[in-house]
Amino acid sequence: MPAFINGIGLISPQKTVETTDFLQEIMEYDSGYLKCIEPPSYKPYIDPIQSRRMSRLIKMGIASAKMCLNESGCTMPDAIITGTGLGSVEDTEKILGTIHLDQPFLNPTPFMQSTYNTISSQIAIQLKCHNYNSTYVHRTFSFESCLQDALLQIAEGTAQEVLAGGIDEMTLNHIAITRRAGHWKNEPVKNLEMLKWNSPGSMAGEGSGFFLLSAGKTDKTYACIRDVKTLYKPANPDEIKLQVTSMLSASGLNVSEIDLVLLGINGDNRNDHIYYEFAKSIFPGTPLSYYKHLCGEYHTSSAFALWLAANILKRQTVPYILRLNNVHREPVRNILIYNQYYNVNHSFILVSE
């Protein structure tokens, strides 16, 4: 059973806050870190007294969730489900830093806010929502697991409107540590020139995206999510192809009916070939796009991809900055989002008008 996207709230490294524009002005970064452009003030979304004790991640989560609800017109969701790969990194670093300094008295606030389910809980507290509440921490499957739960809740009839989101933050300390493992590029790279650099590593990013998923569509509906699939450590490319074709078949579609494939290419020359081989073997002649040059690489970046897909389907336009090849197709009815992480976690989201 499909779930209709009836509202979206997104805080990202692009100008997506409090605007109706769709990638009209592209932000360029050259530091190797794409940081979120936050609201000029959180006062419309969070009480200033409460906001003083909240970390940046929690404020972004609550604000993007309320943006989503305000746009959809929903005041009380039947479920709140989030996905996060790292949780509140900033609060965790504060605790570890204080312990490292051997301080006798620890501030309890960062400790309480460092747990992964803090974001879902704080949103529920703000809304006074006592309904189903869950958080998934499955690395790059986190947001996909969140969507799968939301689809199940709607299909089973236990929820009619689900607030689902993916959120992760990045800190300079975390970048420095993970750079040692080869996650990020060592030299300064402009995000819009990411594909020109044939080198290991990607560009770090972050974001907070929430979607109001409903059993029925309204006049505010963007698109519908038809299916979400995950694949762990495929033995070979044929296993990936089988997963995709079976997923499309279950939705009554074939490969030729996919009008756009949105790929999670991140500029890492050790793994990007997987995307190119995937597109060449399964979707030859299909329009291709990519998105991580706009949001960076992080565990729940597929939430940014879903925002793109929903807007493309609603507006029936594919911004030039996203295009990977010169193939164009109109109208755009079906979009497949494909993301993978070091050839371990592979995920697919099928979105239709």
Side-chain angles (χ1 to χ4, degrees), residues 3 14 35 45 61-62 144 184-185 187 232 240 260 288 317 344 346:
Q14 299 300 321
K35 188 175 182 178
Y45 311 104
I62 293 174
E144 286 77 4
W184 318 118
K185 293 189 182 299
E187 67 279 0
Y232 180 72
I240 300 174
L260 179 68
L288 304 176
T317 180
V344 175
H346 296 250

Side-chain angles (χ1 to χ4, degrees), residues 185 189-199 267 290:
K185 293 189 182 299
V189 177
K190 291 184 179 180
N191 61 313
L192 301 184
E193 298 177 358
M194 187 176 71
L195 298 185
K196 296 180 180 179
W197 292 77
N198 185 26
S199 60
Y290 69 123

Side-chain angles (χ1 to χ4, degrees), residues 311-328:
N311 275 280
I312 289 171
L313 288 164
K314 185 174 184 177
R315 301 168 188 260
Q316 285 298 303
T317 180
V318 181
Y320 183 78
I321 194 68
L322 302 176
R323 298 179 186 179
L324 196 61
N325 60 8
N326 293 322
V327 183
H328 189 58

